[in-house]
Amino acid sequence: MISIIVPTFNEEETIGEFLIKVKELKQELKNFELIIVDDSNDRTAEIAKVLMKKFKIKGKVFKRIGKRGKGSAIRDGLKLAKGKYIVLIDADLQYPLEKIPMLVEKLKECDIVNTRRIRKDPFYRRLLGLSFRFLVFLLFGLTLETQSTFRAFRREVKEKIDFRANSWAWDVEFFYKAKKLGFEICSYPVVYVERRSGKSKIGLLTPLKMFVEILKIRTYLR
């Protein structure tokens, strides 16, 4: 079985289309469960429950109180996951759900499949991304793209890696520990589409926040 874990925060505008795409996967993925871990203060969880029942999608919507962080949401999702293979993806439609079967198939070659985003960004975002990756390399020795939120891994990885980070930077700790434990990581390119509405979440303080988050992780890792 495959466990698809989806952390959500205020995704009521996209959760319907997302679940339609999950329903379409039923033809290819014969046995999977969908685990939605929701910290929203909108109707994301309510809509998800109704549509999962309507589309006969096996799984669970785990509603939490307050925004407790993406790492925390992933950790709670992993506790509920029963599958031999784990897939992580966001519900904002920026990643192609139709690639999930291919990521799972690639797990025959390695323990963790991390996606490499093919995207068009303005110069300041490319610079910010390169700066973050360079900092991650300096502090953790990682050369892969840690901030793509679409990936798959075997159950053994879940059972052996216990990460503490609650923030969006949880995957830096995850990949650092995976590397130390000797898990094989391979890359898979996917087209990434900016679909979010509203103002960008990247502001003047973003680089400082990024630095503080990964520095926190570095302080307790050996």
Side-chain angles (χ1 to χ4, degrees):
M1 185 168 71
I2 300 164
S3 297
I4 304 173
I5 300 174
V6 186
T8 55
F9 180 70
N10 293 349
E11 302 290 356
E12 65 178 14
E13 292 185 5
T14 58
I15 193 67
E17 187 177 347
F18 176 84
L19 288 171
I20 289 172
K21 290 180 178 295
V22 172
K23 181 184 71 168
E24 293 169 353
L25 282 175
K26 291 171 70 175
Q27 297 178 7
E28 237 180 310
L29 299 179
K30 302 301 182 184
N31 188 19
F32 73 90
E33 61 176 355
L34 181 68
I35 300 171
I36 295 177
V37 183
D38 184 59
D39 286 355
S40 303
N41 49 36
D42 65 4
R43 297 176 60 248
T44 299
E46 180 183 340
I47 295 170
K49 288 178 182 177
V50 170
L51 291 180
M52 284 177 67
K53 184 176 181 180
K54 178 181 177 181
F55 297 153
K56 297 180 180 179
I57 297 172
K58 177 183 176 182
K60 178 181 180 61
V61 178
F62 179 31
K63 176 63 180 174
R64 309 196 306 174
I65 305 300
K67 189 176 181 181
R68 293 156 57 182
K70 193 162 195 173
S72 171
I74 296 294
R75 192 161 49 244
D76 279 349
L78 289 172
K79 291 174 183 175
L80 297 170
K82 300 175 182 176
K84 179 180 179 181
Y85 303 113
I86 314 292
V87 175
L88 307 180
I89 191 169
D90 289 340
D92 52 17
L93 303 175
Q94 295 181 111
Y95 293 94
L97 274 80
E98 64 272 16
K99 297 295 184 181
I100 288 178
M102 297 180 190
L103 260 65
V104 173
E105 180 68 18
K106 199 163 178 64
L107 285 174
K108 293 178 180 178
E109 304 172 17
C110 53
D111 302 302
I112 303 170
V113 181
N114 188 51
T115 59
R116 175 173 52 83
R117 295 175 291 181
I118 301 171
R119 55 190 295 183
K120 292 182 179 180
D121 281 333
F123 175 75
Y124 77 95
R125 278 203 173 188
R126 292 201 302 272
L127 183 61
L128 189 59
L130 287 171
S131 299
F132 180 78
R133 290 185 68 173
F134 181 64
L135 194 56
V136 168
F137 171 70
L138 286 179
L139 294 175
F140 302 92
L142 297 173
T143 56
L144 47 77
E145 182 181 358
T146 59
Q147 295 316 111
S148 174
T149 55
F150 183 25
R151 56 182 60 104
F153 49 88
R154 299 170 180 268
R155 184 175 182 86
E156 301 93 286
V157 175
K158 162 196 164 178
E159 292 172 345
K160 292 186 179 180
I161 296 180
D162 180 24
F163 58 90
R164 289 171 47 184
N166 291 326
S167 71
W168 54 269
W170 71 274
D171 33 16
V172 174
E173 179 181 355
F174 173 84
F175 281 115
Y176 176 79
K177 289 184 173 179
K179 184 180 177 183
K180 285 195 72 174
L181 289 169
F183 285 115
E184 186 175 355
I185 304 169
C186 54
S187 178
Y188 188 89
V190 296
V191 175
Y192 174 90
V193 181
E194 187 67 52
R195 290 287 301 269
R196 285 189 178 276
S197 58
K199 295 181 179 179
S200 172
K201 294 183 178 180
I202 297 178
L204 293 175
L205 294 178
T206 299
L208 178 60
K209 291 178 180 178
M210 293 166 65
F211 176 73
V212 171
E213 287 296 333
I214 62 172
L215 199 58
K216 282 181 186 175
I217 295 171
R218 179 68 269 182
T219 56
Y220 63 73
L221 287 179
R222 296 181 180 178

